Each structure stands twice: as structure tokens, then as C-alpha cells.
Amino acid sequence: MKITLDWLKSHLDTNATADEVAATLNRIGLEVEGIENPAEKLKGFRVAKILTADPHPQADKLQVLTVDTGNGAAPLQVVCGAPNARAGLVGVLGTAGAVVPANGMELKVAAVRGVESNGMMCSSRELELGDDHDGIIELPEGAPIGQDFAEYAGRNDPVIDISITPNRQDCMGVRGIARDLAAAGLGTLKPLDVPSIEGAGEPAVDFRTDDTEGCPAFYGRTISGVSNSAAAPEWMLRRLEAVGQRSISALVDITNYVMLDLGRPSHVYDSAKLSGTVVARRAKDGETVTALNEKLYALTSDMTVIADDKGVHDIAGIMGGLESGCSEGTTDVLLEIAYFTPEKIAVTGQKLGLSSDARGRFERGVDPAFLDDATAIITDYILKICGGTASTVKRSGAAPVADKVISYDPNLSATLGGIAVEPARQRAILESLGFGVTEGDIWQIAVPSWRRDMDAAPDVVEEVTRIVGFDNIESVPLPRADGVAKPTATAEQMLERRLRRGAAAAGFNEAVTWSFISEKEAEPFGGGHWTLANPISEDLKVMRPTLLAGLLSAAQRNQARGATSIRLFEIGRRYLVDAERPTLCVVMAGDKRARDWQNGKAAPFDAFDAKAAAVELLEAAGAPADRLQVMDAVTEGQIWHPGQSATLRLGPKAVLAEFGALHPSLTKAFDVDGPVMAVQIFLDAIPAKRASGPARAAYTPPALQAVRRDFAFLAPEGLSAANLVRIIKGADKANITDARLFDRFAGQGVPEGQVSLAVEVTLQPKDKSFTDAELKAVADKVVAAAAKAGASLRG
């Protein structure tokens, strides 16, 4: 939100500079994103008077002017092509060195068609003051010659850009920011002048609310005989323009000003364009409305609208309709001041993809107790600027004003907030913010109607500590035993650290994606189990059921930007029906190895790369990799490619990881080219490591040389080679130290439906070398173990 220093001082009695205001705002939790002084853009431009205007000797459409720049300086010669340039005109001269705001051109002394020119007489468009560029600016004859134009035009008011967090609905107006600054000691909050306007007669247009859930209160009045051709006051237009609001008409400028000034949106309808009773109601499925942005919106029955007998005129709380908007010829208006339920506004805005200043305030929650005061203030502006006669105020429904009282122990500022604040100071802070304070052993804090974010004692602590200053919280070291800090990381955090280092060491790049995705992205994974009630957008609506969705989207973006080899990993949470599950996910796409002169074509990733990554990461996590069993994939839906994916388990039910190629339909849904390999490691399924001593046992190399024996087995094609190797390795744990598959063959000499698997077995003698009988005994155990797995020794 943008405010100007002058605008702020209309509510805050202070001598503070813009920099002092910004420093205080940052200190109390209202982050300042920047300060811009429009006078900087107009530096080098001054009020000047044309003394003479003679034809240019070399150009019919140019004139040679002599210009008085004031302050006793000699007149300057300026070449000008504006049709309205003439002797006696007072305008704006840009001198050498000035930079034209509209195009960034730096003015220099230069010859124009052979005649020296010492600057430029400027149009409104060139100074970004309007769209007029047919002639140069004409100022009143009494304008002070030589004065800086920024100062003359009131363009020297610094603009402060403030980032307002969603919970601070009270600071969505200049007055709310002024209140916070006053509480911080930067000045005194001025009283708000609320006029008393009784009005005469009933409103000429009847209105009511039929949707008390979406629009609990609909206040308003009609004003007849207004003149919308009148211009809003210069001070109002200047403030609106400074914060980026262009002038539309007097009536619209007034409502925009009050919205920015007091955080209170409103709407004005042209009464002549309304038919029958105006009603706040639910839309009907299929109804449409053309909004003020000239776009057509299709409505649904869960949206609140403002309609009359002819149809919808307003998307309630978000944007008015084009048909009933005020024009220059408007003479009678209906002023609407309503309260709309924040959650309803947020959902409607998200569904329609429609944002506006009004929506930003209504979905945060406006002050429900301010409807009457806002009606009076806006009516007063309209009567003073546009004239007319106001009716009495009609009130349909009731604003949800609830008395909220919080029990508060003032000692919490020290025990919870970390700052011991005297009770008298706490009371002064809270009262300056609008809270009511009743002291006792436990204070009773009455919450003002504009602070719907206040719910409990910790919220009160935050108000006190932020005004005192979070930088006043004393730094206190953690307790130490025997001078050594106790570890603070949990076992889960330590596991994630090991995996993060292991994945990075294996050549993967860490990605951090959104925890929420679109319904479309969740659909291939069976849909999301949790849907946000107030999402940032429709594309970030569902809590992710898997990390694959975010990583596949990231892979697609990388491919679109020319990446040929993608290795991404992420550690995060999956959100399932019963709980959120910590998970590590890996995605590999594109080339595993680039083409070169030795290997020829580039090599893509395959399922074995995914398996190798899964085993390596499980080893890094401390899982017993030697006991892992390879079994079928278990994830529901078309996620994994059949025959090119599997799971790693410790027993039939303990699934530690899934790995392999993703299903082509899944990669197509995310528009990722080529086969994609992936790994999902379920961190909560990894068995905890047992406590051990501070150091490992010393490594003693064996005294005798290892013995290796090769075995060739015939096995069914569906038999897992990894499981066969694991079974063989466990055939004689006392003597067999390793086993590995070194050959796989199918074809001539091998029966159909079977495959030849060759396994190298390593045996390690201890005290003495093996005898032939001992080697045969071990071999028999190997063959017997393989037979139980379904493999037979090949003859």
C-alpha cells in the first residue's frame, strides 16, 4: 500500500521526515518496501515565461523563443514546435541536464536546424502529468517565475510504499498506519471528523440484503441532483495520483479516496440505470456480468452479487458492473456501504481470477462498526464536491459487531515476549492502539472492532512487544552442560541433513517447491486429500499428495529453458488422509551422459539409475542396505511404468522406497519430454539407528586372502536378481562376505521363460585357509539357498 507523507500528516500530528516514518514502520512490523520522491523526477524543471516568440528561420513549424527563467537570470533562447507557444505564456521549462520523465532523455544545449536551443518547453505527457501532448503546459499568469515546478505543483510529497501482511486489515488505510505510528511515539493521532448528515425523505431507490451469510449488512442512501462533471479538489487528486490512482470522475474519486484514506470501500450506482429493488443476493448459475474492467464474468450460486430486477450489477465487494456505473451525465446516485464476509469475498475472487483494491480490503475484513460513519463521511464529500440532496440512511441487515474481551496477564510481556514492560507503559500502548484496558490481577482487554486478528493473550503480547521494539529483546544463550552446548536438532532433522548432503554429493540439485498444487496437478496421483479454504490462487489450492508433482513441474520448466540433463531432489512433506509424511523425492530426466567421441550417442537415465540412487540414499540415511528386498511398486494409479519400477522393503510390509520409470501418461500430463526416472524415499519408514559408542571399532584387515567362486543359475524371468543375490549372501554369514551379480543372459542354450544369472561369491577365511571340503560345504549352502528362491545350478 502506498501513502504520501502529506496524506499521513492529515491524520498524524508529527514533524517526522519520510525516512523517520519509514524507520519507525519497519521497527513496529510494517515493512517499508521503498520511498519515492516525485520531485526527483521533476528536478531541473521550473516555472518560466515566454517573452518573445519568433518564426524559426529554417523551419515553418518551429519558433524561436526567449524565455524568462526568473531569479534575475538572463533570458534563455529555446526552440519550440508547440502550436500554443506564444509571448506571455507561463509554462514549464526543462533546462540543460534535466531528464524528461516520459522517455528518459537528458536535455542538452544543442542546435535545432541551425539555431541554438537551451532547453525545452514541456507538455503534460512529457512530464507524466497527463495525456495531453498537443501543446505545452499553460500555467496561470500569476505563477511564480523561476520556482521549481515540483514545488509549485505540489509534487514534492514523498511516497512511502508499505507491505501490509494479511492479518493487519486495520492498516489498509492511511488512518490505520497513522494510529500505529502514534502508538510508537512518532506523533499524535488527530481526531476523525465525522459529520452529522440527517438527510431528507426515504431513499429514492429501495434496497435490501437477502444473503445475510455473504452480505450481513447493506447500508445506503440516495443523493439526487449531483453534478459528476465537477472535478474533485486538487489536494484529493494530487494524493490519488501520487499513489497510482488515476482520476476517473468526481464520484469515483471520492469513493477511491475514502477507501485508501480510511480503509473503507464503497460503491456509487447511477440511479437512472437501476430497475426496481436493489438486492444483495446469491448469483444464479449461468448469470453473467460485465465488470468495470469491461470483462464478462460467469457467476455461480456460491457468489454474492448486487442485482436489481433486470439482473446483476455488481460482483459484491470486488468490482462494480459497467452498466450501472456513473458517467458525466449522472445526476442521481445510490450510495452503497455494505459489509461482506471476508471468506466469501476471497473464494469468489479466486474463482473469477479477479483482483481489486476493494477485494484486498474486504477479504482481510473491514471494520464492521464503521458503516454509519463511513456513510456520513462519503456523503459529506459528495455534497461538498458534487452538490445534491441526500436522503435518510436505510439499514438492511446488521453488521457482525461482536464484543471480544481477552484475559491478559501483563507479566507475559516478559515471560512470553522477552521484554519486561512496565504495566503503565503496556496500558498506554494498548489504549493508543484502540484497545480498552480494565486492570486487575488479570487484565481484561477489550478488542476494537477493526482488529479481527486479535484472539488470545499472545496476540496482546505481540502488540506490546512490537511497539516497544523487537530489537529490544535481549539475546540469551542456550543452557550448556559442562560448557558444551546441548544438541538441538531432532533425530528427524539429523536424518534430513544426512540425506540432503548425500543427495547433493550424488550430483542432485535441491529444489524447493510449493506445498500446495492445483487440482489438475493432483489428479494423476489420485487427487488431493486436503483443500485450502483460502488459497493464494486456484493453481495453489490442494495440499500435495506427493512431491513428484512439484518436481515434474520444475523439470518441465528446466527443459523449456534448454536443460538437457535434469537431476533434482526435494525433502518435504506429503499430505495424506491420515497425516503428513516426510519424504525425499528424486527426479532424473534427459541425458545421464552427453554424447562424446568415445561413447557416441547420449545415454538417457534408466530404472537402474533410479535404483542405484535409492540404495545410495538409503545407505546415507543409515538403513540396512544389505537387507533390502526388491518387490513390486505399491503406489495407486498410473504413476509408475509397469515392469520398470519396484519398491525397496524390509520385509513384505515395510516399504522404504519406490523407484523406477514414471508412467508415460504421467510425464505427458506434466509436459515433460522423454522417459523420467524417479525415487520416493519414505523417511518415517526408515528404522531408527540404535545407540552406539562414541567411536567405531578399529579396522583390522584380514590376514588371509579372500576366495572367490562363480555360480551360474537358471532362474525364471520374473525372479528378482537382487533378491537372489541377497539370499545367496545370507547362505553362510560366517564365511560369505559379499555376493554380486556379474552376468545375465537369455537366448540360445537357455530354456524359454528362463534366464541365466551368474553370481560371484566372496569368502573370507579367518584363522586358516579353506580346505576343499569347507569350500564344497559353502557351495552346497549357496546352491540350496538359491534353490529355495527358485533358481537351479546351471549344468
Side-chain angles (χ1 to χ4, degrees):
M1 176 177 169
K2 292 184 177 181
I3 66 172
T4 71
L5 185 61
D6 174 69
W7 197 342
L8 176 68
K9 290 183 177 181
S10 69
H11 292 282
L12 185 69
D13 189 0
T14 182
N15 293 321
T17 64
D19 289 336
E20 290 171 336
V21 168
T24 304
L25 289 171
N26 283 324
R27 178 171 62 82
I28 62 177
L30 297 173
E31 182 183 358
V32 174
E33 296 189 337
I35 302 175
E36 178 185 342
N37 192 340
E40 292 296 322
K41 296 172 63 175
L42 297 175
K43 189 175 182 179
F45 296 89
R46 63 181 63 179
V47 178
K49 183 177 182 178
I50 299 175
L51 300 177
T52 62
D54 299 319
H56 191 289
Q58 303 296 331
D60 294 339
K61 294 184 178 181
L62 298 178
Q63 297 186 78
V64 180
L65 314 178
T66 55
V67 181
D68 180 8
T69 61
N71 304 320
L76 295 178
Q77 178 173 281
V78 176
V79 176
C80 179
N84 63 331
R86 62 188 183 276
L89 182 147
V90 179
V92 181
L93 172 69
T95 57
V99 177
V100 180
N103 54 26
M105 178 182 68
E106 182 180 350
L107 300 178
K108 299 178 180 179
V109 176
V112 180
R113 301 291 294 270
V115 177
E116 182 180 274
S117 181
N118 295 275
M120 181 177 74
M121 298 297 292
C122 302
S123 68
S124 295
R125 177 180 288 185
E126 288 161 339
L127 299 185
E128 295 185 339
L129 301 177
D131 296 329
D132 183 16
H133 65 288
D134 293 332
I136 57 177
I137 295 172
E138 296 192 36
L139 300 177
E141 292 185 5
I145 309 303
Q147 185 178 18
D148 285 340
F149 179 65
E151 181 179 352
Y152 168 78
R155 306 279 173 174
N156 55 351
D157 189 12
V159 179
I160 305 170
D161 191 0
I162 308 169
S163 176
I164 308 296
T165 53
N167 64 311
R168 293 305 307 276
Q169 70 282 343
D170 59 304
C171 288
M172 291 299 290
V174 178
R175 185 167 182 81
I177 295 170
R179 183 188 297 111
D180 259 28
L181 290 170
L186 202 66
T188 303
L189 185 67
K190 297 179 181 179
L192 182 63
D193 182 19
V194 180
S196 177
I197 301 175
E198 295 297 330
E202 293 293 318
V205 177
D206 191 25
F207 56 87
R208 68 174 188 272
T209 177
D210 288 347
D211 179 15
T212 55
E213 182 182 356
C215 178
F218 188 165
Y219 290 15
R221 71 187 341 153
T222 55
I223 306 172
S224 59
V226 300
S227 173
N228 198 29
S229 60
E234 176 62 28
W235 60 267
M236 181 181 287
L237 296 177
R238 188 167 61 246
R239 288 176 179 175
L240 289 172
E241 183 182 332
V243 300
Q245 289 278 352
R246 65 183 182 88
S247 176
I248 298 174
S249 69
L251 291 169
V252 176
D253 292 345
I254 289 168
T255 56
N256 283 340
Y257 180 79
V258 173
M259 175 181 65
L260 298 172
D261 188 44
L262 303 175
R264 215 314 154 186
S266 58
H267 192 66
V268 178
Y269 300 89
D270 188 331
S271 297
K273 299 176 182 178
L274 300 174
S275 176
T277 302
V278 176
V279 182
R281 61 167 173 84
R282 293 290 181 89
K284 300 172 185 176
D285 289 329
E287 279 189 307
T288 60
V289 63
T290 301
L292 288 170
N293 60 4
E294 299 183 1
K295 293 182 179 180
L296 182 68
Y297 293 93
L299 308 173
T300 57
S301 58
D302 58 348
M303 300 177 182
T304 303
V305 297
I306 309 296
D308 64 6
D309 293 350
K310 292 189 296 184
V312 176
H313 285 287
D314 189 347
I315 305 171
I318 300 178
M319 188 172 289
L322 185 65
E323 183 179 342
S324 59
C326 295
S327 62
E328 186 174 343
T330 296
T331 57
D332 302 312
V333 298
L334 168 64
L335 171 62
E336 167 223 298
I337 308 288
Y339 181 88
F340 299 108
T341 304
E343 294 78 10
K344 291 287 186 180
I345 295 297
V347 171
T348 298
Q350 289 155 6
K351 284 188 174 181
L352 297 178
L354 180 58
S355 296
S356 67
D357 289 327
R359 173 191 165 184
R361 287 161 175 80
F362 277 123
E363 69 181 355
R364 281 176 165 89
V366 298
D367 183 1
F370 195 63
L371 273 71
D372 278 317
D373 288 351
T375 303
I377 291 169
I378 297 172
T379 302
D380 187 55
Y381 278 128
I382 292 175
L383 296 179
K384 289 180 177 178
I385 297 171
C386 303
T389 302
S391 73
T392 58
V393 176
K394 178 182 176 181
R395 301 169 182 85
S396 177
V401 181
D403 293 332
K404 185 187 293 186
V405 177
I406 297 174
S407 297
Y408 172 66
D409 182 353
N411 294 319
L412 285 174
S413 71
T415 58
L416 183 60
I419 307 176
V421 183
E422 290 294 327
R425 175 84 190 281
Q426 293 193 52
R427 176 170 187 146
I429 289 172
L430 293 171
E431 289 181 340
S432 64
L433 290 171
F435 295 85
V437 179
T438 302
E439 294 188 15
D441 292 338
I442 299 297
W443 290 9
Q444 300 300 310
I445 309 298
V447 179
S449 56
W450 57 82
R451 291 301 300 270
R452 68 189 296 263
D453 59 309
M454 301 293 297
D455 292 310
D459 297 324
V460 181
V461 174
E462 181 182 359
E463 292 302 294
V464 172
T465 51
R466 75 179 180 87
I467 296 299
V468 173
F470 292 123
D471 52 350
N472 290 318
I473 299 176
E474 182 182 357
S475 297
V476 179
L478 293 172
R480 295 171 178 258
D482 301 324
V484 179
K486 295 180 179 179
T488 57
T490 64
E492 182 179 341
Q493 290 171 330
M494 293 300 295
L495 173 61
E496 291 185 3
R497 290 177 186 178
R498 289 197 302 272
L499 284 169
R500 190 170 278 111
R501 287 195 297 267
F508 295 99
N509 298 305
E510 184 172 13
V512 180
T513 65
W514 290 104
S515 296
F516 19 85
I517 58 179
S518 67
E519 291 179 320
K520 180 181 178 182
E521 290 173 320
E523 185 178 352
F525 305 98
H529 304 290
W530 300 95
T531 301
L532 299 179
N534 186 20
I536 297 173
S537 70
E538 284 293 303
D539 290 335
L540 299 170
K541 186 176 183 178
V542 177
M543 301 303 292
R544 63 186 178 196
T546 174
L547 277 68
L548 281 171
L551 289 182
L552 285 173
S553 295
Q556 188 278 328
R557 289 191 294 271
N558 277 270
Q559 284 186 342
R561 286 158 179 76
T564 58
S565 182
I566 298 167
R567 303 166 183 249
L568 300 175
F569 83 94
E570 181 174 13
I571 297 177
R573 302 292 188 269
R574 294 176 298 134
Y575 298 89
L576 308 181
V577 174
D578 56 340
E580 44 183 286
R581 303 290 185 182
T583 307
L584 181 148
C585 189
V586 170
V587 163
M588 295 174 279
D591 299 335
K592 174 177 64 175
R593 184 188 67 238
R595 62 180 182 176
D596 58 37
W597 64 275
Q598 290 178 310
N599 300 305
K601 293 182 179 180
F605 292 101
D606 57 30
F608 295 105
D609 296 312
K611 179 186 176 184
V615 172
E616 183 177 358
L617 291 171
L618 284 171
E619 286 180 338
D626 57 336
R627 291 165 44 203
L628 294 174
Q629 298 172 261
V630 179
M631 297 186 183
D632 293 338
V634 296
T635 304
E636 297 180 358
Q638 289 189 321
I639 297 178
W640 298 102
H641 194 301
Q644 297 185 32
S645 58
T647 57
L648 292 172
R649 313 189 190 196
L650 290 174
K653 295 183 178 180
V655 181
L656 271 60
E658 295 177 314
F659 69 88
L662 295 178
H663 199 284
S665 64
L666 180 62
T667 57
K668 182 179 179 180
F670 283 85
D671 198 23
V672 182
D673 295 333
V676 178
M677 306 301 137
V679 177
Q680 285 197 117
I681 296 178
F682 311 122
L683 307 190
D684 51 351
I686 298 174
K689 296 182 70 175
R690 295 180 179 177
S692 59
R696 295 177 181 177
Y699 172 69
T700 303
L704 300 174
Q705 186 173 345
V707 177
R708 292 177 175 82
R709 290 289 185 268
D710 295 344
F711 297 83
F713 298 99
L714 286 175
E717 285 184 344
L719 180 67
S720 168
N723 286 343
L724 177 63
V725 170
R726 181 182 56 81
I727 290 170
I728 291 173
K729 189 175 180 180
D732 188 343
K733 295 181 180 179
N735 295 308
I736 298 176
T737 58
D738 194 18
R740 70 180 186 90
L741 181 75
F742 69 87
D743 184 57
R744 183 184 186 279
F745 175 73
Q748 186 176 1
V750 177
E752 187 177 352
Q754 291 191 314
V755 64
S756 174
L757 301 175
V759 180
E760 179 188 76
V761 178
T762 302
L763 304 118
Q764 179 60 58
K766 296 179 176 62
D767 300 330
K768 62 183 182 63
S769 299
F770 290 118
T771 65
D772 288 343
E774 289 171 335
L775 290 174
K776 184 178 184 307
V778 173
D780 290 343
K781 291 180 181 179
V782 169
V783 173
K788 288 183 179 180
S792 60
L793 192 65
R794 184 178 179 185

